[in-house]
Amino acid sequence: MLLADHEGSWSYRRAAVAPFTGEAPDDGVRRISGIRADDPSRVVHSTSWRYLPNLGQVVLTYAVCPDPEPEATRITLDDLIIARGSAPAAPSPDQIEEANVVAHAIQHLAFLQTTDPVVGRTLEQWPAIAMALGARSPFPAGELTDVRA
């Protein structure tokens, strides 16, 4: 659950949920964040997935923005660093930290702010968030650039 201040600094709060039997992941995220599906003031968006081989699980990551509990204890991000794979055909990073996942989610929202009118209108209601996202590149999170000479 993401929040930006007027200086453009990001903080987050982590929550985890296993959907109930028959419950869609979107619904599980809304349940733990207390957000209704028709809430016009919050974005709930799946931003990434990753496989945890030691558990045999796929983890879906969602961004909830802005955090519906802005007064809750938060983790401040010093840098927004997206983890990358070591080769084009090996996209999974060797190591990924929670902060990398959050940075990826923020980059994803920056992309959506400029390409998805519904998300853009929603995030524009929050000037600090809109400004902080506007300072990010609107390119898709994880986009590889052409490094050929």
Side-chain angles (χ1 to χ4, degrees):
M1 298 185 211
L2 301 167
L3 201 59
D5 63 22
H6 288 286
E7 285 76 43
S9 296
W10 287 96
S11 62
Y12 71 97
R13 186 166 57 96
R14 181 182 187 271
V17 64
F20 295 142
T21 301
E23 182 180 47
D26 292 3
D27 296 330
V29 170
R30 283 192 299 270
R31 175 172 44 86
I32 65 162
S33 62
I35 296 174
R36 299 178 330 271
D38 63 349
D39 185 335
S41 66
R42 302 279 190 274
V43 171
V44 176
H45 193 85
S46 175
T47 59
S48 66
W49 67 270
R50 64 194 171 286
Y51 177 65
L52 302 177
N54 56 329
L55 299 175
Q57 295 177 341
V58 172
V59 175
L60 298 175
T61 300
Y62 281 77
V64 175
C65 189
D67 187 340
E69 295 182 33
E71 309 306 322
T73 301
R74 324 186 54 69
I75 299 167
T76 301
L77 288 170
D78 295 322
D79 295 309
L80 298 181
I81 300 171
I82 296 173
R84 301 186 187 279
S86 58
S92 296
D94 294 332
Q95 182 176 340
I96 188 164
E97 303 294 332
E98 189 172 278
N100 302 130
V101 175
V102 176
H104 183 94
I106 291 168
Q107 186 66 30
H108 196 106
L109 289 178
F111 172 70
L112 291 173
Q113 181 175 270
T114 63
T115 61
D116 184 320
V118 172
V119 171
R121 281 191 303 273
T122 301
L123 295 174
E124 288 298 322
Q125 297 176 56
W126 305 93
I129 289 170
M131 182 211 52
L133 289 172
R136 307 292 307 159
S137 167
F139 294 111
E143 179 179 275
L144 298 177
T145 57
D146 188 350
V147 294
R148 292 178 282 175

